[in-house]
Amino acid sequence: MSDIYSKFQDVSIAPMHTCEHILNGTMVKLFGCERSKNAHIERKKSKINYNLPAALTSEQIETVERMVNEVIEHDLEVTFKVVNRQDIPENVPLDKLPEDVGDTLRLVCIGDYDVCACIGVHVNHTRQLGHFRITSTSYKDGQFRIVFKLENSEYPV
């Protein structure tokens, strides 16, 4: 297994990785953008980039933060299902998958809020994530970067 795949099997990043799914779902819902294709997920803080035509306003950033925290507070169950490629819903993007991936894929579902093909370790319920906080943002060349962290995570590492 390559380093990129083994990294997402590290239980210490499960909360941040799960939060990445929620943040992606929120950005897609709010701004109609694609899910991020460039994220750096770490245990203490993470960063994620989105292709956007302009930087988000401070009000939009506050809305993103609020919506992610609302999803966390709803204590949604995080579940998995293995499906054949032809049975994947059309709203589930597959463009981040390696070319050599087989016909059977694992979908991660955050309640009914988000679904994504993923091989990583995740928490069992969103409330385990604690509180989501955007620590900084930047915008350059069509890339809007969000740096975020989780505070008061209840996930046992």
Side-chain angles (χ1 to χ4, degrees), residues 20-145:
E20 174 201 6
H21 286 260
I22 297 170
L23 179 55
N24 269 314
T26 300
M27 292 295 290
V28 170
K29 286 171 179 41
L30 284 175
F31 306 107
C33 61
E34 293 181 345
R35 298 176 79 86
S36 172
K37 290 181 177 57
N38 184 2
H40 186 75
I41 305 302
E42 296 294 336
R43 188 172 53 83
K44 292 186 178 185
K45 79 174 179 181
S46 297
K47 57 187 172 186
I48 189 165
N49 294 346
Y50 294 95
N51 292 323
L52 292 174
L56 299 184
T57 66
S58 58
E59 292 82 14
Q60 289 171 318
I61 293 166
E62 288 173 13
T63 298
V64 170
E65 194 171 75
R66 179 183 47 76
M67 283 184 67
V68 169
N69 280 309
E70 286 174 359
V71 172
I72 291 169
E73 284 300 312
H74 278 98
D75 199 22
L76 301 177
E77 186 175 15
V78 180
T79 59
F80 314 93
K81 57 185 170 183
V82 177
V83 298
N84 288 322
R85 185 183 286 267
Q86 69 267 14
D87 297 326
I88 294 176
E90 67 178 60
N91 66 328
V92 176
L94 302 177
D95 55 334
K96 285 176 65 172
L97 298 177
E99 290 181 21
D100 62 345
V101 70
D103 287 332
T104 303
L105 299 172
R106 179 175 174 254
L107 297 181
V108 174
C109 304
I110 313 282
D112 61 358
Y113 190 77
D114 186 66
V115 61
C116 180
C118 185
I119 63 166
V121 177
H122 300 80
V123 301
N124 296 318
H125 291 270
T126 59
R127 189 163 287 188
Q128 292 176 294
L129 300 177
H131 182 78
F132 169 80
R133 187 164 66 88
I134 296 174
T135 58
S136 68
T137 61
S138 61
Y139 185 78
K140 182 178 180 185
D141 299 329
Q143 292 285 303
F144 184 73
R145 174 170 286 177

